[in-house]
Amino acid sequence: GFILFIPGFILGFLFVFYGYMIPGFGPHVVPHEIMGGLTNYTNELALALVITGLVFIGFSRLNKEDELTAYIRLSALYWAVLTNFIIYIVCIVTTALIYKLLSMENVGGMLVFSLTTLNLVTLLLVFIGRFYYLLYKSKNEYQAPPLRLLPNNTLSTVIKILGACCMLIYIGITIYYLGISPSFFSEPSVMKYLQFIPYVTPFLMMYWIFTREPVEDEYIRSVRLEAMHIAIYVNYGMLF
């Protein structure tokens, strides 16, 4: 993992702070309102190396894997997902303030682009930092802090139902923007009332993720951990 991460980090550092681009690595001129006229794949290569390296560092099997290690991984992933979601909220609020209140579209676009790029690696960085911190701490205590889950009640059931409905609508909106448009989503009046769905759905999904199951045992914890692993692999796999 470090073999990929270190060169990617150095290349990204040179690109961001010194504007270095690998000569001839990409098309010469591509009009883009945020990135400008010149486009090069140097930043994409650096980001791909960093993300791949961090995935190998964070999810490589340890010499000793037991129930405590699995629980520590789950706790670290929860912290990472929560931090990642907070940054997502910051991106939304920043976009609203700059676009709507300050009317600074160019500055807002660059800021949101930078925050979004940073958010791609925040989850992995927080996970790795938290995981190895708890792993080091457990050498003396042989325990991990409990997961702070939300109560399972009527409100959580309602939110789960709303989350499932919003996810289905979100998929329909995505299909609409891809051009495979069902007649229902092609109506302007319908889209006017559904445009808030992409912003609400992540909040509902986060509440669902952090809700306690009726019975929380080792099996449920292993299922949570496996599901979060798959979600991260799919999320970063779609980037490539």
Side-chain angles (χ1 to χ4, degrees), residues 63 194 227:
N63 294 330
L194 295 183

Side-chain angles (χ1 to χ4, degrees), residues 23 74 111 118 149 163 205 239:
L74 180 60
L111 182 58
L118 176 64
L149 299 175
M205 292 294 103
L239 296 176

Side-chain angles (χ1 to χ4, degrees), residues 94 98-99 104-113:
T94 302
I98 295 179
Y99 278 27
M104 299 172 62
E105 296 186 1
N106 293 333
V107 176
M110 284 296 297
L111 182 58
V112 172
F113 177 80

Side-chain angles (χ1 to χ4, degrees), residues 67-68 70-75 78 144-147 149 212-213 215-228:
E67 292 182 359
L68 178 61
Y71 185 79
I72 289 175
R73 284 186 186 276
L74 180 60
S75 178
Y78 266 62
L147 295 177
L149 299 175
R212 183 183 300 276
E213 291 298 318
V215 178
E216 283 286 337
D217 52 17
E218 293 299 327
Y219 173 72
I220 296 298
R221 289 177 181 174
S222 64
V223 171
R224 285 183 184 275
L225 181 61
E226 184 67 22
M228 296 187 79

Side-chain angles (χ1 to χ4, degrees), residues 5 18 37 46 62 75 88 104 108 115 160 167 177 182 203 215:
F5 172 75
Y18 295 97
L62 300 177
S75 178
Y88 170 79
M104 299 172 62
L115 288 173
K160 288 179 181 179
M167 179 57 69
Y177 280 110
F203 290 91
V215 178

Side-chain angles (χ1 to χ4, degrees), residues 187-230:
E187 294 292 333
S189 58
V190 174
M191 291 301 298
K192 178 181 178 181
Y193 293 103
L194 295 183
Q195 60 183 353
F196 70 93
I197 293 293
Y199 300 99
V200 175
T201 302
F203 290 91
L204 299 176
M205 292 294 103
M206 280 294 297
Y207 194 99
W208 191 341
I209 291 172
F210 283 90
T211 298
R212 183 183 300 276
E213 291 298 318
V215 178
E216 283 286 337
D217 52 17
E218 293 299 327
Y219 173 72
I220 296 298
R221 289 177 181 174
S222 64
V223 171
R224 285 183 184 275
L225 181 61
E226 184 67 22
M228 296 187 79
H229 277 178
I230 294 175

Side-chain angles (χ1 to χ4, degrees), residues 14 17 81 93 98 208 224-225 232-233 240:
L14 294 175
F17 292 99
V81 171
V93 173
I98 295 179
W208 191 341
R224 285 183 184 275
L225 181 61
I232 290 175
Y233 294 151
F240 302 105

Side-chain angles (χ1 to χ4, degrees), residues 71-87 122-131 133-134 144-148 206 209-210 228:
Y71 185 79
I72 289 175
R73 284 186 186 276
L74 180 60
S75 178
L77 274 174
Y78 266 62
W79 272 78
V81 171
L82 183 60
T83 304
N84 199 63
F85 186 69
I86 291 174
I87 296 179
T122 301
L123 188 149
L124 294 173
L125 289 174
V126 174
F127 166 67
I128 292 171
R130 179 72 176 172
F131 174 66
Y133 167 74
L134 293 177
L147 295 177
R148 306 295 182 181
M206 280 294 297
I209 291 172
F210 283 90
M228 296 187 79

